[in-house]
Amino acid sequence: MATSKLKDPRTCRIFFSSPFGGMEEEREELTRKYFPQIHHLCNSRGIQFVAVDMRWGITSEAAEDAQTVSICLRELDRCDLFVGFYGQRYGWHGADNDNIQRNIDNAVGRYPWLNNFRDRSVTELEFIHGHLNSPGDLPACICFRDKRYDEERASVLENSGDEKGAKRFKSEGDEASRRLASLRERVYETRDKTLAVHMDYLNPKEGVEHMFTAIWEHLNNALLARDGDEEESDRLQELADHNAFMASRQALYIGGGHYFQELSTVLSSGVSEKVVVVAEAGQGKSSLLANWVSQAKNSHPTAIIAYHFIAASKESSKKKNILKRLTAEITEALLEKKQESSESKNTDNEENTPAGEDTGKNKGQSEDQGPKGRVEGSKGKVLKNKADTNDKSEKEQKKSENVKNVREMMTVLVGQLERARTKERMVVLVIDGLDKVEETSGKVAKPVSWLPDKIPDNVKIVVSVLDTEPGIIEELVTARMYQKITLEGLQMVDRKLLCMETLKASGKELSKEQLQKIVEKDLTKNALFLKIIIAELSVFGSFRKLDEKINDLLTSDSIRDLCMKVLERLESDYNTEDQPDVVQQVLKLLQVSHEGLTETELKEILDIPLHVWSPLYFALEQYIVIQSGLISFSFSELGNAVAERYLKSTEDRLTSVKCLISYFDKKRKAFDIYPRPAESLLRRPALELSWLQKAIDDKDGLTTTLTDLLMFFFLIRKNEYELFELWKSTGHTFTDIADMYVKSFDKALVDVYCQKNDSLIEPSDQSKPPGQRLLYLLENIRVFIDLASCTEASVRILNRITEILENLEGKWKEEPERLQLLAEYQYYLACCDCDSGNYRRAEELHKKVMKYWRTGVQSGEIDKKKGEERIGWCYNGLGLVYYNQKQYIEGEMMFRDSLAIQEKHKNICWAADAWTNIGLISLGLKKPKEAIKQFEMSLKLYEEHFFETIPHSIGNVYTNLALAYRRDNQLDKAEEFYQKSLELKIQAVGNEHPIIATAYMNLGTLYLYRKNYAVVQDYTEKALHIYKVNQYHEDHRSYWFCKENMANCLLRQNKIKEAEPYFWDVFDVQTRLGCLADCLPYVHHTMSEHYIDSREYDKADRILTALSMCTKRRSAKTFLLLDKLDQQQPRSDVNPRPKEQTLEYGMKLFPDNGGLFERKVRVHHVARGDLTGLQDLLTARNADVKIYIDVVDWCVEDDKPGITAEVIDRALHKFPGNQMLIGKLVSVWYSVKQYQKALTLVKQLDHEGVHSDEVLLNCAQTMHHCGESEEAYQWLNKLLTSADSLSAGMKRKVDALKEKLDTEAKLQ
């Protein structure tokens, strides 16, 4: 057979051809007994089976349209296998039958050979097209029923009086018999070009068995065969998708001659060339490249032209898939060339194995696994690869090992390009639609970083992109020096030619006036607009009304308006009497679907018979695109028009969505948990159900879908961030989600256990107990729950995993594997203990796990590299335990040990984790400059590891850098990195993920330093909203941190009443959980002081008592306020203040604190006149001159001159002749008008030794009062010489004294 592959890689279509009458029994047998088997076989390969049976015959409706023959033959063109069967009745025919001839007239343009067979039956026409025109091109099985069976059936019916029924088994006449005999003879002559020919099967049952046998063998041996190489089969399926897409864009291309010439110069250059084609939507860039690729293949047959059209299939937009496919096509081309040149088959492995094959990952491992990276305000998690780690066959395991990341795939591609260079082969890479490349959710991508820039000079790259992507265009043209080709609108001559050539293919022609009217419409510069108009005219049947139709189409002012007219025409032409709104229903379902719908899905949902579906499908062909079997609109304007016309109301949309939900939910419920269905089968219900339920806010339905473990498994493998968003929309907390998943898992365990007991699992597959068989599901649930940063939920999943692993002791075939998995999950539990503040248990568990790995490595039972890497994890985990307890030295030792191990094994990402944590240690040690360097090293390694994408976890490093810059007082740099972190995380997880709340809190802290409290309040309110939305418990550390930040912000704005509820929420949690050590003392002190001043003494007492017992947060201020409280509300002798809360105890704790000493002096001694107690205090403190002077100043401020003088006298006794003390005493005696005592002291002073303006003035005034005017002048002159530096009040006093002295001098 020439054809051994499916035309549509995702669908197997088999055409069944026979006359309508007399063959009902065969069809019934096929439908009832054999189609289910074929369905099952196809489903097991992830392929849909479509039985194309035009048995509806020629209805009056079809006859009126005269499209029957055309539809039959077009359906046959799409099929992969032809099955024909005949009895004695020849079928509808007649050269003089007007209906048949009109049918042939309508089809002959597409099938010119029909002119030679106008007298044949419709069934024979199918036989001719399906087989006889080109025997062997399409696999065929043809069967003829034994004449005796028909004669017997006819006789029985005639004897019963059923003449009409008997006719179904009789020939229509001699001419019909001759036609049928001729057909039999021609089929028999070509039997060696068929799958099977049976000339005389005895009865319907035998005939159908013959047909089924031929179909079954061909499906297994050819159409559905994997050829032992799944990757090669996948490659061919993808290639078929791209070829089909390319063919759909090659039908007619006008106006690209000069663009072809520009592109062709690329091929003739002897150096590497890079070109980007830029156009607006609808200008035909895909058509240009599709046609140019074909031309380039013909003009350069030795060149390797690897092309990738990103709209060709659902998976074609992923970066890794683009690189992988291009690499595979180049590799295949190099191998084909090698075979053509008859080189020896005994070649080096490098020639037979695709470059870059990964050979060494342990089961269940990935490069994304590793120790937790701790960041301020957010917690990094260790994520295992989203893989089926304990339910893999060897083939699946090998396949997972070959999976590469984007950077590795780039390296492999460049390697293949270099191989082509060494073989002197030119390579042309063509990539259409860079604007459609799928960005990784949760990660921010650099523009086209995945596309190799440095390429060998034998390589040419041609890409295309929409003009709405300036970032991509700038990167390619400015940074990478791509030549830019901009597609302009269609020129007048091109528009005319496009109209004429397209209509000519449909047998239509316009007058010059009609043509001119169309092309003069300015919008026809847009190729899409013009093609829609031409398409509508090509199917318009009334020549007399053609001008009217043209005028109507040209009234459209946009593609959207034109689409509305297309919809009107489709309704008019293809709605039927039995299904009067089939067009609307089909289009509505396509519009509301998430990914699009297959033909089978549409026909099943709406119960559309083939005779209704086929004409509608062919009418829609030019307006739809089929990607991996899924139909969707080929341009958004059509979808928008459908929504506007048919889905105006919420009820309309809701009805359509619920229709799809009902259909896909039945599909979901039909799956068994084991054996797991093919991913291609899971994809449709998983994606359609989840997003449709989210779209209509069906929280209960969405919860049911997401807790279905098979749906979950598909969704997390596809994109864990999308799964996270789906769960967020349900409103469930993640602890509830964890519980629901555990419940689903336990039910699945029971189901598999029952399957095993009922012998529904193959004996060869019963060696694994259910727990081991399904453990991969729990592992992936753990990965997902970690994404939510919900420690409590993670613990619940981890406890269930460890419980399963412990229960499997003695049942797991590979015991070392079980123990290693158990150790890994115990490590994760230790990390959770650390997150929740249970540091002792975390430390013990980390050390236990470390001991296991170390012992295993030393004994040789565990692979050395793997074991050492896990030891590195444990060092990291222990470091976090110490870091969180502020044991920075111990923490740094652990982190550096972890770093040494990861650098030894070249684990870039885990080394980056270690540098991050070392940076945090530096911050803890108040070394921000060192921390900045360490965080920059971490960032460099992360970017090297993740290469072309930036996961949201790198935002944690930005946060740490911002914190370091903030502590280094570089506030602008701090804000820059805080904002980077926020933007990155919002792009990754949306606006309401808890990590966004952390980012807002960090920004709030920055603005607190800037004293911009309004901004702080705004950021904190946003963070609080996120915690509420995520239903955080009031005891959650992050939540009450945020509330305390809000209280802090409000208090700094003196909004005490607003701060109160936040404060008490937080205080109650802190005291109840015993975590007052993490409080903000400023907030507690401010609230306490407020309550003291407002005489709410009990509240103040409660706060200060709790704070005084917290060794890490109490301060001198705490004891000052306690003393203030006790002074205003003295304690009774019966209930005295415990000594640990007294001012005296505070002075012992903080002996150097001046505030406590001052309060003791002023409140407890000076205010009470307790000179003896004061002297004892000063003696005990071994007070120096400065302390005495401070005490003197306090006595003066408190207006206690007597005590002041006594203190100075005692000070002078201890420090005789001290000028400062003497000066102070002068001021005291002068203030109480003891001028003679003051005079005695003034005479002990040296003019030059006094530097206090007040003392100088008091000395001058004392001399003046005692009549010593000349001496008064001497003291005053020192002040007058520095008059400019005197305060205004002091200057007035000096001037007044001088005036007195001057006046008195004149009088003398």
Side-chain angles (χ1 to χ4, degrees):
M1 292 295 103
T3 303
S4 61
K5 297 297 178 185
L6 295 172
K7 293 178 180 178
D8 175 352
R10 276 78 182 177
T11 307
C12 175
R13 287 186 175 86
I14 302 178
F15 192 96
F16 293 89
S17 174
S18 71
F20 182 68
M23 308 307 292
E24 294 87 349
E25 292 174 272
E26 280 86 348
R27 293 197 197 91
E28 178 65 23
E29 184 78 359
L30 280 167
T31 303
R32 181 182 57 80
K33 185 174 181 180
Y34 294 108
F35 282 1
Q37 297 182 56
I38 300 173
H39 272 292
H40 179 76
L41 175 63
C42 290
N43 284 343
S44 71
R45 309 291 171 85
I47 292 169
Q48 285 188 324
F49 166 57
V50 176
V52 181
D53 184 356
M54 313 304 288
R55 66 183 180 276
W56 45 273
I58 307 300
T59 64
S60 58
E61 184 177 72
E64 287 175 9
D65 292 340
Q67 294 293 329
T68 302
V69 171
S70 177
I71 290 170
C72 289
L73 299 186
R74 291 183 74 179
E75 282 289 355
L76 185 46
D77 285 338
R78 298 202 295 154
C79 289
D80 304 291
L81 201 155
F82 176 80
V83 178
F85 46 106
Y86 246 116
Q88 295 307 304
R89 189 166 184 81
Y90 179 56
W92 186 46
H93 66 286
D96 56 353
N97 185 298
D98 288 342
N99 279 343
I100 290 182
Q101 297 313 309
R102 283 199 301 124
N103 268 271
I104 291 176
D105 287 341
N106 286 333
V108 76
R110 186 182 291 268
Y111 305 105
W113 56 268
L114 286 171
N115 272 324
N116 300 323
F117 299 95
R118 286 183 173 270
D119 55 351
R120 309 304 168 86
S121 72
V122 174
T123 305
E124 181 172 350
L125 295 179
E126 292 172 355
F127 272 55
I128 293 170
H129 191 53
H131 173 62
L132 292 172
N133 269 348
S134 301
D137 280 4
L138 183 65
C141 169
I142 301 175
C143 300
F144 295 95
R145 193 165 61 199
D146 192 313
K147 184 178 181 179
R148 289 172 293 179
Y149 179 83
D150 290 73
E151 290 173 345
E152 290 174 6
R153 291 285 290 138
S155 175
V156 170
L157 291 168
E158 284 175 342
N159 291 336
S160 67
D162 187 359
E163 289 292 337
K164 185 177 181 181
K167 286 182 178 180
R168 300 201 309 268
F169 297 94
K170 292 181 179 181
S171 174
E172 296 89 337
D174 293 342
E175 181 65 23
S177 295
R178 285 194 296 273
R179 295 289 183 201
L180 181 55
S182 172
L183 177 61
R184 287 170 60 98
E185 183 178 340
R186 282 176 286 144
V187 168
Y188 185 74
E189 289 173 354
T190 59
R191 63 189 181 281
D192 59 333
K193 299 289 184 68
T194 67
L195 299 177
V197 169
H198 295 276
M199 300 303 295
D200 293 293
Y201 66 84
L202 298 177
N203 54 57
K205 184 175 181 181
E206 179 185 299
V208 171
E209 285 179 355
H210 288 316
M211 297 177 214
F212 176 71
T213 299
I215 293 169
W216 190 259
E217 289 180 357
H218 189 64
L219 289 178
N220 281 288
N221 298 332
L223 289 180
L224 306 185
R226 302 295 282 187
D227 298 330
D229 187 342
E230 292 191 20
E231 289 200 7
E232 174 63 7
S233 182
D234 290 341
R235 183 188 76 81
L236 292 174
Q237 286 192 3
E238 273 287 305
L239 181 61
D241 280 338
H242 287 270
N243 287 340
F245 179 87
M246 201 162 69
S248 72
R249 299 300 188 273
Q250 288 175 327
L252 183 64
Y253 185 73
I254 302 293
H258 59 294
Y259 299 130
F260 275 35
Q261 189 173 358
E262 285 187 69
L263 290 172
S264 295
T265 58
V266 170
L267 300 180
S268 59
S269 168
V271 295
S272 64
E273 294 278 2
K274 296 179 285 190
V275 178
V276 56
V277 177
V278 179
E280 67 177 69
Q283 287 291 55
K285 57 183 176 56
S286 297
S287 294
L288 170 65
L289 293 185
N291 283 275
W292 179 73
V293 164
S294 293
Q295 185 189 79
K297 282 182 172 182
N298 293 329
S299 63
H300 292 74
T302 62
I304 300 172
I305 301 179
Y307 46 89
H308 191 93
F309 291 84
I310 293 176
S313 71
K314 287 296 179 185
E315 299 300 314
S316 63
S317 60
K318 291 182 170 60
K319 300 167 190 173
K320 188 166 68 175
N321 288 354
I322 298 171
L323 296 169
K324 181 180 178 182
R325 213 187 75 76
L326 293 174
T327 301
E329 293 307 314
I330 296 169
T331 303
E332 182 66 20
L334 291 172
L335 290 173
E336 286 177 0
K337 183 68 176 176
K338 190 168 188 176
Q339 291 164 1
E340 289 169 10
S341 60
S342 300
E343 291 181 7
S344 169
K345 292 184 179 180
N346 186 21
T347 55
D348 185 76
N349 286 337
E350 182 186 359
E351 302 296 335
N352 292 313
T353 305
E357 186 170 335
D358 193 355
T359 58
K361 285 189 182 175
N362 291 322
K363 187 171 183 181
Q365 289 310 301
S366 76
E367 291 184 1
D368 289 336
Q369 285 180 277
K372 294 173 43 160
R374 174 68 165 87
V375 295
E376 179 161 310
S378 66
K379 299 176 174 62
K381 292 289 182 182
V382 185
L383 299 185
K384 285 193 86 172
N385 191 31
K386 295 173 292 179
D388 179 356
T389 56
N390 288 300
D391 192 29
K392 290 184 179 179
S393 65
E394 288 185 17
K395 185 180 289 186
E396 288 175 317
Q397 180 65 33
K398 183 176 180 181
K399 189 172 180 181
S400 72
E401 289 170 352
N402 286 332
V403 172
K404 302 178 188 305
N405 62 31
V406 171
R407 180 171 53 185
E408 289 172 327
M409 284 308 306
M410 279 183 65
T411 303
V412 175
L413 174 58
V414 172
Q416 290 300 80
L417 295 175
E418 187 61 34
R419 280 185 64 201
R421 186 188 65 79
T422 62
K423 296 179 182 299
E424 299 182 350
R425 299 285 301 279
M426 179 170 69
V427 179
V428 184
L429 301 180
V430 180
I431 306 173
D432 174 53
L434 293 182
D435 47 283
K436 297 181 180 70
V437 172
E438 180 179 316
E439 298 301 342
T440 309
S441 294
K443 299 182 180 181
V444 180
K446 305 170 186 176
V448 293
S449 58
W450 55 272
L451 183 63
D453 185 20
K454 296 179 181 179
I455 54 176
D457 28 354
N458 64 309
V459 179
K460 325 291 182 180
I461 300 181
V462 178
V463 300
S464 74
V465 66
L466 284 177
D467 59 2
T468 53
E469 296 292 337
I472 295 175
I473 296 169
E474 183 179 359
E475 169 66 20
L476 294 177
V477 176
T478 305
R480 302 196 184 192
M481 306 303 290
Y482 273 57
Q483 175 190 343
K484 180 181 176 184
I485 297 177
T486 302
L487 301 192
E488 305 296 339
L490 288 172
Q491 300 301 308
M492 186 71 72
V493 63
D494 296 328
R495 287 180 246 170
K496 286 183 178 180
L497 187 58
L498 183 60
C499 284
M500 291 188 294
E501 292 297 324
T502 306
L503 289 170
K504 182 179 178 181
S506 303
K508 303 283 177 73
E509 186 177 357
L510 297 174
S511 69
K512 289 183 179 180
E513 293 77 13
Q514 290 168 333
L515 181 61
Q516 190 65 28
K517 183 184 292 186
I518 291 171
V519 298
E520 283 180 349
K521 176 82 172 179
D522 191 56
L523 279 172
T524 58
K525 288 180 181 178
N526 184 288
L528 178 59
F529 187 90
L530 182 56
K531 285 181 177 180
I532 295 174
I533 285 182
I534 298 170
E536 289 302 289
L537 293 178
S538 67
V539 297
F540 188 69
S542 175
F543 178 77
R544 293 182 178 181
K545 296 182 178 180
L546 186 56
D547 283 320
E548 184 180 333
K549 180 69 174 178
I550 291 171
N551 291 336
D552 180 54
L553 292 171
L554 292 178
T555 59
S556 303
D557 292 325
S558 65
I559 293 176
R560 171 253 172 217
D561 291 346
L562 205 50
C563 289
M564 284 293 192
K565 297 183 184 300
V566 172
L567 297 180
E568 290 175 15
R569 197 261 305 169
L570 290 172
E571 291 171 27
S572 173
D573 290 353
Y574 297 102
N575 280 335
T576 68
E577 187 175 336
D578 293 335
Q579 292 185 295
D581 61 349
V582 66
V583 171
Q584 294 93 314
Q585 293 299 328
V586 166
L587 297 178
K588 284 194 290 185
L589 294 185
L590 287 175
Q591 176 63 12
V592 301
S593 66
H594 179 61
E595 281 195 316
L597 297 166
T598 68
E599 287 185 61
T600 300
E601 288 166 353
L602 282 166
K603 288 189 288 184
E604 289 179 351
I605 294 167
L606 298 173
D607 194 23
I608 307 175
L610 193 58
H611 72 278
V612 174
W613 170 252
S614 292
L616 175 57
Y617 171 80
F618 291 127
L620 288 172
E621 251 185 335
Q622 53 202 330
Y623 299 116
I624 59 176
V625 62
I626 301 178
Q627 298 176 318
S628 305
L630 295 172
I631 301 172
S632 56
F633 299 124
S634 57
F635 47 96
S636 60
E637 292 87 348
L638 181 57
N640 294 338
V642 168
E644 186 175 341
R645 188 171 178 84
Y646 307 134
L647 299 166
K648 286 184 178 180
S649 70
T650 303
E651 188 59 36
D652 288 336
R653 180 171 289 273
L654 197 61
T655 300
S656 295
V657 171
K658 284 184 175 180
C659 177
L660 290 180
I661 288 174
S662 175
Y663 174 79
F664 284 109
D665 202 40
K666 289 176 184 175
K667 297 282 187 184
R668 176 188 69 80
K669 292 175 180 177
F671 295 131
D672 289 325
I673 193 72
Y674 190 87
R676 193 175 68 232
E679 279 196 37
S680 57
L681 298 178
L682 296 176
R683 179 187 185 98
R684 301 296 297 131
L687 290 178
E688 292 297 333
L689 266 180
S690 57
W691 289 104
L692 290 170
Q693 287 163 333
K694 181 178 186 295
I696 64 171
D697 198 29
D698 179 6
K699 292 182 172 60
D700 291 340
L702 180 55
T703 299
T704 300
T705 298
L706 298 181
T707 49
D708 182 308
L709 295 180
L710 290 175
M711 301 296 100
F712 160 79
F713 180 71
F714 177 86
L715 291 169
I716 193 172
R717 285 169 67 87
K718 182 179 183 295
N719 192 310
E720 67 269 32
Y721 291 97
E722 289 181 358
L723 177 60
F724 181 85
E725 285 305 309
L726 288 167
W727 265 120
K728 283 285 295 296
S729 68
T730 67
H732 292 296
T733 66
F734 276 90
T735 50
D736 289 342
I737 292 169
D739 288 340
M740 285 188 278
Y741 273 132
V742 169
K743 185 177 179 180
S744 293
F745 177 81
D746 289 342
K747 181 182 181 300
L749 275 183
V750 173
D751 291 343
V752 175
Y753 182 80
C754 291
Q755 279 183 292
K756 184 176 180 181
N757 285 350
D758 294 341
S759 300
L760 297 177
I761 297 176
E762 293 292 330
S764 60
D765 201 25
Q766 291 192 10
S767 59
K768 292 181 182 178
Q772 181 182 358
R773 197 183 305 280
L774 298 183
L775 184 61
Y776 75 94
L777 291 168
L778 272 182
E779 292 180 297
N780 281 280
I781 292 168
R782 199 274 308 174
V783 170
F784 170 65
I785 293 295
D786 263 359
L787 184 66
S789 303
C790 181
T791 303
E792 184 180 351
S794 293
V795 168
R796 295 184 187 192
I797 301 299
L798 286 167
N799 283 336
R800 189 70 182 102
I801 292 175
T802 53
E803 181 184 4
I804 293 285
L805 287 167
E806 287 166 353
N807 290 339
L808 286 172
E809 183 177 1
K811 303 172 187 175
W812 192 298
K813 187 175 180 181
E814 298 293 336
E815 180 64 7
E817 182 182 38
R818 183 190 71 84
L819 290 173
Q820 288 178 29
L821 280 173
L822 182 59
E824 286 182 16
Y825 285 106
Q826 287 174 336
Y827 162 80
Y828 300 142
L829 273 171
C831 292
C832 289
D833 283 337
C834 181
D835 286 347
S836 57
N838 196 334
Y839 302 124
R840 176 176 293 180
R841 191 167 66 186
E843 182 177 3
E844 290 173 355
L845 195 48
H846 274 313
K847 287 180 176 178
K848 174 185 174 182
V849 173
M850 182 186 285
K851 182 179 178 181
Y852 165 78
W853 291 111
R854 181 169 284 133
T855 302
V857 170
Q858 290 171 351
S859 67
E861 293 178 1
I862 293 175
D863 174 73
K864 183 177 180 182
K865 180 177 183 292
K866 179 178 181 179
E868 287 183 350
E869 287 173 346
R870 299 308 183 273
I871 292 169
W873 293 9
C874 295
Y875 276 131
N876 195 78
L878 284 167
L880 290 170
V881 171
Y882 297 138
Y883 167 79
N884 285 334
Q885 296 177 90
K886 296 183 170 53
Q887 298 174 23
Y888 298 128
I889 304 303
E890 296 87 343
E892 183 173 9
M893 289 172 59
M894 296 294 103
F895 292 140
R896 290 200 177 274
D897 284 344
S898 177
L899 177 63
I901 290 172
Q902 306 309 348
E903 287 182 337
K904 172 184 174 182
H905 294 295
K906 296 181 172 55
N907 294 320
I908 296 174
C909 187
W910 301 342
D913 290 342
W915 275 116
T916 295
N917 293 334
I918 291 169
L920 290 171
I921 292 291
S922 295
L923 280 180
L925 295 172
K926 299 182 180 179
K927 299 176 182 178
K929 292 187 186 301
E930 289 186 24
I932 289 170
K933 293 178 182 177
Q934 288 152 352
F935 291 139
E936 286 175 343
M937 172 62 78
S938 171
L939 190 59
K940 178 182 177 182
L941 291 175
Y942 280 132
E943 289 178 343
E944 180 183 348
H945 174 74
F946 291 109
F947 184 58
E948 51 86 36
T949 56
I950 306 172
H952 82 269
S953 55
I954 286 185
N956 298 336
V957 187
Y958 289 156
T959 298
N960 293 335
L961 266 169
L963 179 60
Y965 279 120
R966 192 191 83 199
R967 292 188 180 174
D968 197 40
N969 205 32
Q970 299 184 53
L971 299 186
D972 290 341
K973 289 289 288 183
E975 182 170 12
E976 174 191 339
F977 280 97
Y978 275 139
Q979 289 291 356
K980 275 187 176 183
S981 176
L982 177 63
E983 291 166 7
L984 180 64
K985 292 172 179 178
I986 286 177
Q987 288 187 49
V989 295
N991 289 298
E992 294 185 342
H993 189 283
I995 64 173
I996 306 303
T998 302
Y1000 284 139
M1001 288 172 66
N1002 288 330
L1003 278 164
T1005 302
L1006 175 67
Y1007 277 91
L1008 191 67
Y1009 277 81
R1010 290 176 165 169
K1011 299 184 179 180
N1012 191 336
Y1013 302 123
V1015 176
V1016 177
Q1017 186 172 342
D1018 180 56
Y1019 279 128
T1020 312
E1021 284 172 350
K1022 289 179 178 178
L1024 281 171
H1025 168 75
I1026 291 171
Y1027 289 129
K1028 289 175 184 175
V1029 166
N1030 284 276
Q1031 299 182 356
Y1032 267 45
H1033 193 274
E1034 62 180 7
D1035 291 354
H1036 195 285
R1037 191 182 190 85
S1038 298
Y1039 196 10
W1040 61 257
F1041 267 17
C1042 190
K1043 287 183 178 179
E1044 192 168 34
N1045 281 354
M1046 178 59 83
N1048 184 25
C1049 168
L1050 293 169
L1051 289 174
R1052 291 180 187 275
Q1053 299 175 80
N1054 202 31
K1055 297 178 179 179
I1056 295 175
K1057 288 297 180 186
E1058 292 179 42
E1060 259 190 303
Y1062 291 107
F1063 170 77
W1064 285 112
D1065 281 353
V1066 173
F1067 182 78
D1068 288 343
V1069 172
Q1070 290 171 338
T1071 51
R1072 177 163 43 81
L1073 299 182
C1075 52
L1076 205 61
D1078 294 316
C1079 76
L1080 294 175
Y1082 168 83
V1083 173
H1084 289 64
H1085 288 147
T1086 305
M1087 291 303 301
S1088 301
E1089 197 157 16
H1090 162 71
Y1091 288 129
I1092 293 171
D1093 293 342
S1094 60
R1095 299 186 179 184
E1096 296 178 79
Y1097 300 126
D1098 290 344
K1099 292 180 179 177
D1101 194 10
R1102 183 182 168 197
I1103 299 167
L1104 292 169
T1105 297
L1107 199 57
S1108 70
M1109 294 187 288
C1110 179
T1111 57
K1112 291 186 177 181
R1113 280 293 179 263
R1114 65 189 180 190
S1115 67
K1117 178 86 174 202
T1118 310
F1119 293 94
L1120 283 172
L1121 290 174
L1122 277 166
D1123 192 66
K1124 181 179 179 180
L1125 173 63
D1126 288 345
Q1127 295 304 314
Q1128 292 189 212
Q1129 187 187 41
R1131 303 284 289 254
S1132 66
D1133 293 338
V1134 178
N1135 184 28
R1137 172 77 58 190
K1139 68 175 184 178
E1140 292 81 5
Q1141 298 172 20
T1142 61
L1143 187 67
E1144 290 74 16
Y1145 189 75
M1147 292 175 69
K1148 288 181 181 179
L1149 292 177
F1150 307 101
D1152 297 327
N1153 186 270
L1156 292 173
F1157 176 69
E1158 180 181 356
R1159 182 166 184 85
K1160 182 69 175 175
V1161 169
R1162 299 177 78 163
V1163 175
H1164 290 262
H1165 297 303
V1166 174
R1168 298 172 181 175
D1170 182 9
L1171 191 59
T1172 300
L1174 177 58
Q1175 186 57 47
D1176 291 342
L1177 177 64
L1178 291 170
T1179 301
R1181 199 172 179 87
N1182 194 21
D1184 56 14
V1185 171
K1186 183 179 181 307
I1187 291 176
Y1188 271 101
I1189 290 172
D1190 286 341
V1191 172
V1192 168
D1193 287 341
W1194 297 332
C1195 292
V1196 170
E1197 289 174 13
D1198 293 344
D1199 195 23
K1200 301 290 184 178
I1203 294 180
T1204 305
E1206 287 291 335
V1207 170
I1208 295 175
D1209 280 344
R1210 296 186 183 189
L1212 284 171
H1213 181 73
K1214 186 174 182 180
F1215 306 103
N1218 186 279
Q1219 295 286 291
M1220 290 183 68
L1221 288 171
I1222 293 172
K1224 290 283 184 183
L1225 193 53
V1226 167
S1227 295
V1228 171
W1229 292 132
Y1230 177 80
S1231 68
V1232 294
K1233 299 181 181 180
Q1234 296 289 321
Y1235 301 125
Q1236 288 302 317
K1237 288 184 178 181
L1239 179 62
T1240 303
L1241 294 169
V1242 171
K1243 291 182 177 180
Q1244 297 178 30
L1245 292 173
D1246 178 7
H1247 291 81
E1248 300 302 323
V1250 178
H1251 302 289
S1252 166
D1253 292 342
E1254 184 181 356
V1255 172
L1256 286 170
L1257 180 61
N1258 287 335
C1259 288
Q1261 289 172 328
T1262 297
M1263 288 298 184
H1264 174 251
H1265 279 288
C1266 295
E1268 301 283 347
S1269 297
E1270 187 175 342
E1271 290 294 325
Y1273 262 121
Q1274 291 178 6
W1275 286 101
L1276 192 62
N1277 280 336
K1278 191 168 181 181
L1279 287 170
L1280 291 171
T1281 56
S1282 59
D1284 292 341
S1285 63
L1286 297 176
S1287 67
M1290 178 62 71
K1291 194 171 186 307
R1292 285 195 296 271
K1293 291 178 182 179
V1294 169
D1295 290 342
L1297 179 58
K1298 183 176 183 302
E1299 186 178 349
K1300 284 183 181 180
L1301 289 172
D1302 289 343
T1303 301
E1304 290 174 359
K1306 289 177 181 178
L1307 291 175
Q1308 292 176 356

